[in-house]
Every structure is written in structure tokens, then in C-alpha cells.
Amino acid sequence: MKQKKQGMNRVKARSGLALALLATALVTGCFDPSPEQYIKTGKARLEKSDARGAAIEFKNALQKDPSVVEARFLLASALLKLGDAVGAAVELEKVEKAGYDNNLVAPVMARALMQQGKSDALLAKYKDTVLTQPAAMAELQVILGRVHLAANRLEDAKVAGKKALEAAPESLEAQQLQVRITAAGGGLPAALEQTRALIAKLPNEHSNWLMLGDLQLAGGDPKQARQSYEEAIKRKDKDVQPYFSLMPLLLLGGDLPAAASNLAAV
């Protein structure tokens, strides 16, 4: 009888140990995600425009495994959205060295260089680059076109704009570049009409309203420009550019409460 009781105790002990090990495994699985799980969560945060939260997830993935190139590329993309173009470029250089797909890297690196004001480096690196994915090629050419426009190289901007539309005719950025090229060539009324057509087609796209505000301001109508920037903010309040564009108009108009509110939102 005593031996039987001891046997039962051993079974219970083993069962308890098994349950403890199972619980440990479950806890470890729940609270120690894999790099892939961090990446998945980070991508979901990016889709919700939570670039800061996404960056944390991608950094966690790299802490688990620094060799996961996708996590490093996504971290660079998130940093760029947060305005850290320098940090993004540092990560992208590592991604390039690892041989990551240039269709993905080139447009993001080009944006990082543009945001740093490194136009010469951008043109030297990408002016002759041909990407195999149409959307990526269009995005790169749009960035090149913007750089040329900023330097008043209208003909070069037109060439880049044409390449962008040829690669991806439905690209909104390529269409917006064409509008800005039209305005830069002296066709401001036509550019305003084209922008309103884009808004009619995509009324909730904040970048269309932002462009309308820019064009209205260029045409000497700050009141309408302010309204357009405010419309842009309503549609995407996590993009800082409309706030920056709106701030001088608020200050010049003497609307200090609105300027303070605008600054706090940024």
C-alpha cells in the first residue's frame, strides 16, 4: 500500500513538472517573440501610420537577430517617416551592402538623401538608375523630378516626370509632379485646375490638398491656401508637412491661438 502511494506521488510530481515546463514554454512563446513576429507587428503599426511604434518593433527584431535585413530596411523606412533621414540613410547603407532588392532600397534612399538636402549625391547615385519594378521606377523618377524642380532645372524635371508616368501612369505622385511642372512652367491656372481634378477623384488624399495650398499660396491667395492646408490636416493629421506649411500663414495673419494649437499638434 505504501509503495502504491509512493508511486502515485511520483506520477503527480512528474505531472506537475510537465505542467510547469509547458507553462514556461507558453510564457516564453508569448513574451519572447521571434524576429518574424516583431516584423509582422511593426508592419501592422506602419499601416496604421504609427511609425514610432513600428520602429520599436523593428529594432526589437534586430536585437533578436541583427542579420535580418528586412527588419533593417523596414526600420529605415520608419525612421524616414519620423523625419530621421540621417538615421534612415545609415540603416539603408547596411541594407545595400547586404544585397537587398534595389527596387525597394533605391526609392527610400533617394528620399533620405533628398530630405537631407544632398541633391548632388542623390543625382550622382541615381540619375542613370533603371529599376525593374514599374512602381519603384516611377517613385524614383518622381524624387529626381522634385530635385530638378527645386533647382529650377525645368527641362530635366520634365524628363524625369515623363519617365515616371511611362513607368506607372496611375501613380498619384507622378501625376502630382506633372502638376508642379506645369505650375513651374508658368501654367499656374492650369495647374490649379489639374489639382482640383485630382481632388475630385481622390477627395480624401491629403497630399492633393497640400499641393492645392502650395499652388494657391504661389498665386497670392493665402486665405485659400490656409483652408487647403487645414483640409490636408483633417485627412492625415500625423503628417507634419501641412502643419509646417500652415504655420507661417497663421503667424502672418496674427492668429496666435491657432498658431499655438498648430505647434502643439506637431
Side-chain angles (χ1 to χ4, degrees), residues 50-261:
D50 181 12
R52 194 171 304 280
I56 292 172
E57 298 294 340
F58 300 139
K59 287 179 181 178
N60 287 338
L62 289 169
Q63 286 179 348
K64 293 283 290 185
D65 186 352
S67 69
V68 181
V69 185
E70 182 187 12
R72 196 170 299 282
F73 169 73
L74 292 168
L75 172 60
S77 300
L79 291 175
L80 192 59
K81 291 180 182 295
L82 290 170
D84 185 2
V86 175
V90 170
E91 297 299 338
L92 288 168
E93 287 175 359
K94 298 175 184 178
V95 170
E96 282 182 323
K97 290 178 181 178
Y100 206 60
D101 186 356
N102 203 37
N103 284 292
L104 298 174
V105 177
V108 183
M109 177 63 94
R111 287 186 190 276
L113 292 172
M114 180 175 66
Q115 288 186 17
Q116 292 179 76
K118 295 183 177 181
S119 300
D120 291 341
L122 192 163
L123 292 172
K125 188 176 181 68
Y126 291 120
K127 66 178 180 179
D128 297 321
T129 297
V130 177
L131 301 177
T132 57
Q133 293 182 2
M137 183 63 175
E139 185 177 356
L140 179 60
Q141 290 301 320
V142 165
I143 295 167
L144 292 172
R146 288 175 179 172
V147 169
H148 287 309
L149 271 184
N152 294 316
R153 293 189 293 266
L154 185 58
E155 292 306 313
D156 289 332
K158 288 180 179 179
V159 171
K162 181 179 179 182
K163 289 181 179 179
L165 279 178
E166 287 175 348
E170 297 302 317
S171 165
L172 178 60
E173 282 193 320
Q175 294 175 53
Q176 290 173 337
L177 176 61
Q178 288 300 313
V179 172
R180 293 188 182 276
I181 289 172
T182 298
L188 184 57
L192 285 166
E193 184 177 343
Q194 292 166 3
T195 303
R196 292 191 178 96
L198 287 176
I199 290 175
K201 184 179 179 180
L202 297 168
N204 291 321
E205 175 52 54
H206 85 291
S207 61
N208 286 333
W209 289 98
L210 180 60
M211 183 167 64
L212 180 61
D214 291 344
L215 296 175
Q216 289 167 330
L217 190 59
D221 194 346
K223 183 177 179 180
Q224 289 296 320
R226 172 178 175 172
Q227 292 177 4
S228 294
Y229 291 143
E230 289 172 343
E231 290 293 333
I233 291 171
K234 287 179 185 177
R235 285 157 175 79
K236 193 171 184 180
D237 59 3
K238 292 184 179 181
D239 183 3
V240 298
Q241 187 55 57
Y243 292 99
F244 290 152
S245 298
L246 180 59
M247 181 62 77
L249 300 182
L250 297 176
L251 293 175
L252 288 172
D255 193 344
L256 297 183
S261 176

Side-chain angles (χ1 to χ4, degrees), residues 22-34 37-38:
L22 178 60
T24 300
L26 289 173
V27 169
T28 302
C30 290
F31 295 100
D32 189 21
S34 67
Q37 288 172 316
Y38 280 124

